[in-house]
Amino acid sequence: MPDLIKTCLSINGIERTFHIPPGMRLLDLLREKAGLTGTKEGCGAGECGACTVLVDHKPIPSCLCLAASCEGQEITTIEGLQTGSELAPIQEAMASSGGVQCGFCTPGIVMTAEAIAREGLQAEAHQRLAGNLCRCTGYTKIFEAMDMLPALEAQDD
Amino acid sequence: MTEQKAPIGGRHVRIDALSKLSGECRYVADISLPGMLHAAVAIAPQAPGRLLSLDSSRAGKMPGVRAVITASDLPAANLVGVIFPDQPLLVEERIRMVGDRLALIAAEDAEMAWEAARVVDFEIEEEEGVYDCVRALEAGSPTLHGDSNLLKTFHVLRGEVEAEKDSAAVTIEAEYHIGGQDHAYLETQGCLAVPEGDRITIIASCQCPFYIQQAVSRVLGIPLASVRVEQAATGGAFGGKEDYPSEPAACAAVLAWKTRRPVRLIYPREFDLQVSTKRHAMVIRHHWGADAGGRLRFAEVDCILDGGAYAGLSTVVAERANVSAIGPYDVPAVKVETRIALTNNLFGGAYRGFGQPQVSVAAEATMDRLARKLGMDPLEFRRINALDDERNTTCTGQALPQPVMALPCLDQATEMAEASPAPRKAPESWLRGRGIGLSIYGINLHRGGQFLDRSSAVLILQPDASLIVRIGLTEMGQGVLTSIQTVAAQAMGLPVERVQVWQPDTTTVADSGPTVASRGTHSAGRAVLDAVRRLRERLDPIAAELLGCDAGEIRLEAGFALDSTGAKRIEIAEVVREMSGRRIESIATGWYRSEDRVFDEATGQGEPYSSYAVACHVADVAVDPELGLVRVERVCAAHDIGKVIHRTGAEGQVQGGIVQAMGWVLTEDLKLEKGRLINPSFTDYLIPTADDAPAFEIALLEDAPGRGPFGAKGLGEPSFIPAGAAIRNAVSQALGVEIDRTPLLPPTIVEAMGEEHPLAELIRSIRG
Ligand code: FES
Ligand code: FES
């Protein structure tokens, strides 16, 4: 057993400390240590985007990211988007557009979409979502969800 | 309760959207149990061969390993395989396919288990294999099972082909090589086996819990009633989780049985791509002819499916390919021969469309060729030959009921394409082309599988008049839970949110057969309507008594029971309370089975299906003539859907089906080297991304009711089938050359463009 490394990071706004092997992926820390199984593994090789989480607000494939390298960073997962049982605007939009089918890509898609929306880059959604594979929807209803966002956000204010 | 609009045809939020969007939905990899072990599988890296020795002692000593199982350790039958029992769970001697299992391992964590799988020692004596389906059928080829590689032959024989040949003014002879496809569901295969005394529970990502129940019962040697299979939330399937999940489930089950601990097996992506079933590659030879007026006279089709090393579901796939080989056209003389060849390639299984997309690419390509040879517009040529209300007899001699939707779909799709230009997604300098794909899909299972075409449902009306619905057909993303929710809500007069449809579990409903052949809404919906009928036999009289009217008058709407005038009404919840007070049962079962049909296997004449759905796709593509790249800019799709049950879901099926078909014909290349997949990753096996998605125009036509609930017809496969053909035809039209091979990879396109192309020589040298 290699020595464990002490790693402190913030997950969905809560400061957490873990003692983990140096080679542990952020994906495994989230799923196995933090019990947050919303983040999915579709390939384990950075090819599908199902494992996307926000690391300091940037969408990152957590299967390629070493957990220990996230020391001091802010991680947001799918579980961190909603407030209580109230969904975030992107989640609402995906529900009403029908951007969810089997749902396995969905957490990753939502996190990437959230990052796109936060930066106001909806116009580039097609290219920016290209790292998140979806085998079910044909993507169109995911784009529709992104197009609904400004209206939903305006409603919120 | 407020008055509500009828849910049928609406856009309410799908039943599983919130759990999937919040991350709360649990797929099998998200379920852990105390004491759970993780499984891995050691496979043969080459095929064919003979297993000379197998030594798992090194693997057994690896840290964390709790069990290693080889063929001699199995508790009961060493057998998997849905239709023909030709596949061992673990290799005893003969290896036929890369991926044949040598040993199963259970360890404390998944990494340890896969690590141990890598150190299983074995010696394989290499044998001569056969990797080409045409060669496999030639005399002298090495055989896989018995003394021939011909698994089965199917025919369609109608009219006098030889006689009609004389009346043809133009003929086309062509040979199409249509590629296979991996399902590439985003969630890989996975299951969890939990032993409980002399019983076992399997939680699995799957399409057919009942197949798994049978497989596990067989490998453990215990009764079916001792095996409970719960379908976990399933992250895509497309046919890939029809028959195949029985194999990982059998693996996890025998490990759990031996270790007496829960065992979870999750395939890593590379492993999944390497060992799982694939869409069948096919070689399809055509000889078709038309007269000078543009009427088809004859069609001869010789089709060989590469079945791979085991029978799997190949016969069922071939059955559909066989009767679908000439498309929705009126042809006086037809001769189709469809053969399945066993080879040492990965084995073919179910995949959305069941062999029909492949034969449709060929049929629609030949239609375009004939049109060009006649100097006719491909649309006009199709209009002349498509089945219609007068010429309504299919190639199997089955008369279609009116209205026949081939022309309405063709017209609707082409009108949408004409109405506005396709958005330009590729550079202006690329060449543009438009292609048509027209298909007719036989709904539900072929006559040969009709014994499986059944479905069970259970309704439990709750004291607050909310409703629990259990069905035997599975949700894998296609939306069956939502469509069944919609159907049940409509039939019971309840708002959709008061109806909950739960994932199947083999202990709650009777064996409902597989969730395949676009039959989910149809078959489960019919079973639910049957259950509603039985429930209302008890509910309506009570409501009538409370309202002071006849039981026959009762209507259920928006949470109320009403008399025929609508003047008197009472909340359904109140009726249920009254039922409960009188101790009247508020649970009902329902059953559906398909109509018996007549079909002659020798001639392929009769009724392979009880009803049909037409679809037409018109693709607009742009092709880079220098590099052979293709971009699909728009697809206009018209679907004969009978009745829209859930509009958002129906559109999503169409969009998803088309994009998946686009990947199949353009980029998804299964590179096999002696039966081994050499590109088992999403970096090398390219499925469409968001950036590749075309624009869509979709029309859902409801003119021809089907036999499903409220007249619905299946859509899962019709949404895939014509798209590949439309795209192939559009690319050919853009370049002005015929392309007879898919996927349409850049080298294939450059090659088709001939010697003039500046890259022709380079491609030739690469191809050797
Ligand atoms: S699992 Fe991380 S990109 Fe696929
Ligand atoms: S919804 Fe199934 S992969 Fe996207």
Side-chain angles (χ1 to χ4, degrees), chain B residues 115-133:
Chain B
E115 201 54 51
R118 275 187 281 275
V119 301
V120 169
D121 295 304
F122 54 82
E123 206 182 327
I124 295 173
E125 179 185 57
E126 198 178 331
E127 292 179 320
E128 191 199 344
V130 56
Y131 308 100
D132 176 306
C133 63

Side-chain angles (χ1 to χ4, degrees), chain B residues 1 492-495 556-561 570-573:
Chain B
M1 260 179 257
M492 284 298 294
L494 293 170
L556 302 178
E557 252 175 56
F560 289 88
I570 182 170
E571 282 194 20
I572 295 173

Side-chain angles (χ1 to χ4, degrees), chain A residues 133-135 138-139, chain B residues 178-184 279 351-352 361 630-632 635 655-670 679 684-689 692-694 696 719-720 723-725 727-728 742-746:
Chain A
L133 299 177
C134 172
R135 191 58 155 171
Y139 302 103
Chain B
I178 310 293
Q181 186 178 22
D182 186 81
H183 306 83
R279 179 184 295 287
Y351 195 143
R352 200 175 197 171
V361 167
V630 179
R631 160 114 227 188
V632 179
V635 178
Q655 293 159 347
I658 289 171
V659 169
Q660 209 174 81
M662 179 182 96
W664 169 54
V665 288
L666 291 184
T667 58
E668 296 181 31
D669 186 21
L670 291 169
N679 57 335
D684 296 318
Y685 181 81
L686 298 175
I687 70 172
T689 72
D692 303 321
F696 290 102
S719 64
F720 186 108
I727 292 167
R728 179 270 169 206
T742 70
L744 303 168
L745 301 170

Side-chain angles (χ1 to χ4, degrees), chain B residues 731-732 735-741 744-755 757 760 763 767:
Chain B
V731 171
S732 272
L735 297 172
V737 297
E738 300 297 345
I739 309 179
D740 300 334
R741 190 175 282 277
L744 303 168
L745 301 170
T748 306
I749 289 176
V750 165
E751 226 166 19
M753 290 173 72
E755 286 306 308
H757 196 282
I763 300 284
R767 291 253 159 118

Side-chain angles (χ1 to χ4, degrees), chain B residues 326-672:
Chain B
I326 66 155
Y329 302 111
D330 177 47
V331 191
V334 175
K335 185 174 166 207
V336 180
E337 181 171 82
T338 306
R339 289 173 288 168
I340 306 159
L342 295 168
T343 68
N344 293 107
N345 291 326
L346 300 175
F347 70 138
Y351 195 143
R352 200 175 197 171
F354 249 65
Q356 191 171 348
Q358 295 93 313
V359 295
S360 293
V361 167
E364 292 295 274
T366 294
M367 287 298 285
D368 271 20
R369 285 182 137 109
L370 280 167
R372 275 192 276 274
K373 215 163 174 179
L374 284 159
M376 289 178 84
D377 178 53
L379 170 62
E380 195 45 36
F381 184 59
R382 282 180 176 76
R383 300 196 93 261
I384 292 176
N385 289 291
L387 295 169
D388 61 19
D389 287 353
E390 269 87 62
R391 297 172 304 163
N392 63 338
T393 308
T394 68
C395 68
T396 71
Q398 184 173 5
L400 300 176
Q402 294 182 0
V404 175
M405 294 297 286
L407 289 176
C409 285
L410 187 61
D411 288 344
Q412 178 69 42
T414 46
E415 271 165 31
M416 289 189 294
E418 288 301 323
S420 64
R424 295 267 159 146
K425 296 185 178 230
E428 287 300 322
S429 62
W430 290 23
L431 301 172
R432 259 67 192 183
R434 174 172 291 172
I436 302 173
L438 182 64
S439 72
I440 184 164
Y441 175 82
I443 294 168
N444 298 6
L445 294 160
H446 188 282
R447 155 65 166 54
Q450 70 180 6
F451 66 99
L452 289 171
D453 212 348
R454 60 193 175 209
S455 169
S456 161
V458 175
L459 302 184
I460 312 172
L461 193 54
Q462 303 296 299
D464 63 353
S466 64
L467 184 69
I468 291 174
V469 181
R470 306 295 314 225
I471 54 172
L473 300 187
T474 51
E475 172 66 57
M476 43 198 146
Q478 88 282 34
V480 74
L481 297 185
T482 305
S483 59
I484 294 306
Q485 177 193 40
T486 312
V487 165
Q490 180 86 21
M492 284 298 294
L494 293 170
V496 277
E497 64 279 4
R498 309 218 28 109
V499 177
Q500 287 300 331
V501 191
W502 297 85
Q503 302 270 124
D505 172 332
T506 55
T507 62
T508 62
V509 285
D511 185 339
S512 298
T515 307
V516 298
S518 308
R519 74 183 197 101
T521 298
H522 180 116
S523 312
R526 289 269 299 266
V528 163
L529 291 183
D530 188 43
V532 167
R533 181 183 60 75
R534 294 190 197 171
L535 193 56
R536 291 190 60 179
E537 281 171 5
R538 279 168 256 145
L539 185 133
D540 289 11
I542 305 295
E545 207 182 306
L546 296 175
L547 288 176
C549 67
D550 275 353
E553 286 180 45
I554 297 294
R555 280 184 295 136
L556 302 178
E557 252 175 56
F560 289 88
L562 298 88
D563 72 352
S564 55
T565 63
K568 293 192 232 166
R569 62 182 207 173
I570 182 170
E571 282 194 20
I572 295 173
E574 216 166 299
V575 183
V576 180
R577 275 195 292 277
E578 186 63 26
M579 286 172 75
S580 153
R582 300 190 195 184
R583 288 165 292 147
I584 293 172
E585 192 185 17
S586 60
I587 180 168
T589 62
W591 186 246
Y592 156 81
R593 67 184 176 124
S594 59
E595 303 77 11
D596 284 336
R597 304 185 292 280
V598 175
F599 186 76
D600 177 31
E601 272 220 6
T603 58
Q605 296 297 294
E607 301 185 333
Y609 304 99
S610 54
S611 58
Y612 292 84
V614 176
C616 183
H617 292 169
V618 175
D620 285 298
V621 306
V623 187
D624 175 356
E626 280 172 32
L627 297 177
L629 300 167
V630 179
R631 160 114 227 188
V632 179
E633 298 191 304
R634 181 181 66 186
V635 178
C636 297
H639 283 266
D640 154 33
I641 182 173
K643 183 81 187 167
V644 179
I645 299 291
H646 186 258
R647 194 164 297 278
T648 313
E651 291 165 356
Q653 280 293 293
V654 173
Q655 293 159 347
I658 289 171
V659 169
Q660 209 174 81
M662 179 182 96
W664 169 54
V665 288
L666 291 184
T667 58
E668 296 181 31
D669 186 21
L670 291 169
K671 290 196 189 115
L672 291 172

Side-chain angles (χ1 to χ4, degrees), chain A residues 31 40 47 102 135 139 141, chain B residues 27 30 651 668 683 688:
Chain A
R31 290 178 52 84
K40 306 300 178 203
E47 298 166 337
C102 83
R135 191 58 155 171
Y139 302 103
K141 293 194 180 295
Chain B
Y27 301 81
D30 305 333
E651 291 165 356
E668 296 181 31
T683 300

